[in-house]
């Protein structure tokens, strides 16, 4: 099997289509009476992944590119408004396919997870912060890694050392990272149940006796650097290189998949666009694993 964009699109479409045939309840709900969509849900998600991988942040520009170069793969593409509505309604399917593809990889069984959060900016001006539909969810926050303030959300990500997303959440910029990790674990009990004794590597913000005791009761082992005034913790020599791994995964989402240029103006729009980028990363890891590539997180074969 070759490793290029057309092959990724074909393999992804076939995988999603097979899954929807086997589990039709995963598809977005539609009225019993009405016009059936010409673009299937499998085609919709495949288009969204291709758009993210190729770096398109404008849906109108992307659909013009599809009309010009990919008509042989997608002969029935809706206008931008219809494409946008379909994508916003497909959030639950996007989440399901991220998990399904992740389980299909050899990386799913890794016994070490990394956890971190990264800013997802949603605006720069004061007027945007006051008048946006995202006001109330999006907040002002501070990114210590880049020493900057921002207005928007945070993407919390639990992933393997190979860059495979395992758990994720989108919260306000000021949300407590520890509580968010607990919530992610609570909403996916099957994931933690299938990974007993998992090691989670985190930064200094994931601290506290009660928090660590809670993780221990879930049969999870937390490794983090010591905070100021604390004695040296076990495994401290591993943190610096492994912290660089999670930073590079975040950079893949931001630098190659344009996470912060999502263009969403409403909560549903932002969620759909962020999920498309997580699915794109998961699909790339899945296909690289399927084709036995040495670097599972590489997008080089698909981004041109």
């Amino acid at each position: 099997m070759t490793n290029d964009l057309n092959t990724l699109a074909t393999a992804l479409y076939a995988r999603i289509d097979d899954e929807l045939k086997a589990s039709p309840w995963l598809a977005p709900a539609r009225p019993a009476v009405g016009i059936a969509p010409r673009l299937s849900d499998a085609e919709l998600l495949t288009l969204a992944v291709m758009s993210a991988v190729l770096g398109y942040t404008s849906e109108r520009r992307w659909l013009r590119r599809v009309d010009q170069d990919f008509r042989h793969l997608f002969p029935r593409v809706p206008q931008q408004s219809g494409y946008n509505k379909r994508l916003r309604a497909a959030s639950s399917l996007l989440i399901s396919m991220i998990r399904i593809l992740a389980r299909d990889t050899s990386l799913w069984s890794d016994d070490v997870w990394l956890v971190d959060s990264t800013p997802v900016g949603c605006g720069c001006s004061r007027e945007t912060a006051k008048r946006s539909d995202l006001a109330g969810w999006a907040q002002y926050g501070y990114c210590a890694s880049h020493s900057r303030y921002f207005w928007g959300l945070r993407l919390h990500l639990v992933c393997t050392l190979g860059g495979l997303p395992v758990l994720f959440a989108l919260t306000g910029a000021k949300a407590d990272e520890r509580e968010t990790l607990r919530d992610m674990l609570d909403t996916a009990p099957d994931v933690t149940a299938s990974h007993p004794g998992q090691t989670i590597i985190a930064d200094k913000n994931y601290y506290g006796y009660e928090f660590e005791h809670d993780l221990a009761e879930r049969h999870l082992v937390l490794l983090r650097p010591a905070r100021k005034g604390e004695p040296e913790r076990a495994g401290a020599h591993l943190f610096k290189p492994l912290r660089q791994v999670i930073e590079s995964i975040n950079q893949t989402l931001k630098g190659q998949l344009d996470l912060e240029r999502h263009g969403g103006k409403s909560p549903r729009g932002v969620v759909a666009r962020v999920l498309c980028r997580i699915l794109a990363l998961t699909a790339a890891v899945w296909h690289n694993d399927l084709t036995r590539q040495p670097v599972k997180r590489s997008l080089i074969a698909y981004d041109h």
Side-chain angles (χ1 to χ4, degrees):
M1 184 182 290
T2 57
N3 204 42
D4 55 38
L5 182 62
N6 282 349
T7 308
L8 171 63
T10 303
L12 181 62
Y13 166 78
R15 184 68 183 87
I16 298 173
D17 190 57
D18 288 346
E19 193 64 37
L20 287 173
K21 288 177 180 176
S23 308
W25 56 86
L26 294 177
R30 293 192 179 89
V33 178
I35 300 174
R38 297 191 303 166
L39 185 77
S40 71
D41 292 315
E43 290 174 313
L44 176 72
L45 265 61
T46 304
L47 276 173
V49 167
M50 292 175 67
S51 171
V53 168
L54 291 173
Y56 281 85
T57 57
S58 166
E59 290 177 349
R60 293 187 186 278
R61 289 186 59 214
W62 168 237
L63 294 179
R64 288 198 297 269
R65 171 72 187 279
V66 173
D67 186 60
Q68 177 180 341
D69 294 336
F70 299 112
R71 273 290 177 182
H72 62 292
L73 295 175
F74 307 97
R76 300 175 298 276
V77 179
Q79 297 296 315
Q80 186 270 336
S81 60
Y83 175 81
N84 182 272
K85 289 177 183 177
R86 290 279 307 279
L87 206 54
R88 282 183 292 163
S91 293
S92 61
L93 178 58
L94 287 164
I95 293 172
S96 297
M97 287 313 306
I98 291 169
R99 177 65 55 79
I100 289 167
L101 290 182
R103 287 183 181 274
D104 276 353
T105 68
S106 61
L107 281 69
W108 181 257
S109 59
D110 285 2
D111 56 3
V112 176
W113 288 343
L114 301 170
V115 60
D116 197 12
S117 68
T118 190
V120 180
C122 297
C124 298
S125 70
R126 177 61 180 162
E127 285 301 308
T128 299
K130 291 194 297 183
R131 302 170 66 177
S132 171
D133 289 342
L134 296 168
W137 183 26
Q139 301 170 312
Y140 284 102
Y142 180 72
C143 177
S145 298
H146 300 92
S147 302
R148 66 182 176 94
Y149 290 93
F150 67 98
W151 184 79
L153 308 169
R154 277 190 176 275
L155 174 63
H156 301 257
L157 189 65
V158 175
C159 59
T160 69
L161 291 174
L164 178 72
V166 176
L167 300 170
F168 48 87
L170 200 58
T171 70
K174 295 180 180 179
D176 189 291
E177 292 176 309
R178 295 167 296 178
E179 293 304 317
T180 303
L181 177 58
R182 283 172 168 171
D183 290 342
M184 288 192 289
L185 295 172
D186 286 340
T187 56
D190 57 315
V191 175
T192 52
S194 62
H195 291 80
Q198 194 77 8
T199 298
I200 299 181
I201 297 178
D203 62 22
K204 296 179 182 179
N205 292 326
Y206 296 84
Y207 69 94
Y209 174 79
E210 182 184 348
F211 172 71
E212 295 190 28
H213 180 69
D214 182 40
L215 291 187
E217 287 190 332
R218 301 173 191 262
H219 306 289
L220 301 173
V221 179
L222 177 69
L223 297 180
R224 64 168 177 84
R227 294 171 64 85
K228 187 175 181 180
E230 288 184 332
E232 193 70 19
R233 294 172 63 94
H237 64 286
L238 300 174
F239 293 128
K240 188 172 182 178
L242 293 180
R243 284 297 305 161
Q244 189 60 39
V245 172
I246 187 64
E247 292 295 339
S248 68
I249 294 169
N250 288 336
Q251 184 57 33
T252 297
L253 285 166
K254 291 186 170 187
Q256 294 182 270
L257 296 174
D258 300 295
L259 177 65
E260 289 198 288
R261 297 179 62 205
H262 52 79
K265 301 295 190 298
S266 66
R268 290 181 68 196
V270 173
V271 168
R273 287 167 171 82
V274 171
L275 288 175
C276 286
R277 284 154 174 80
I278 298 175
L279 178 59
L281 176 60
T282 306
V285 173
W286 168 74
H287 195 255
N288 286 334
D289 188 58
L290 194 66
T291 55
R292 302 183 185 280
Q293 302 302 313
V295 182
K296 308 302 183 186
R297 188 164 42 92
S298 175
L299 299 174
I300 295 175
Y302 314 117
D303 65 359
H304 55 280

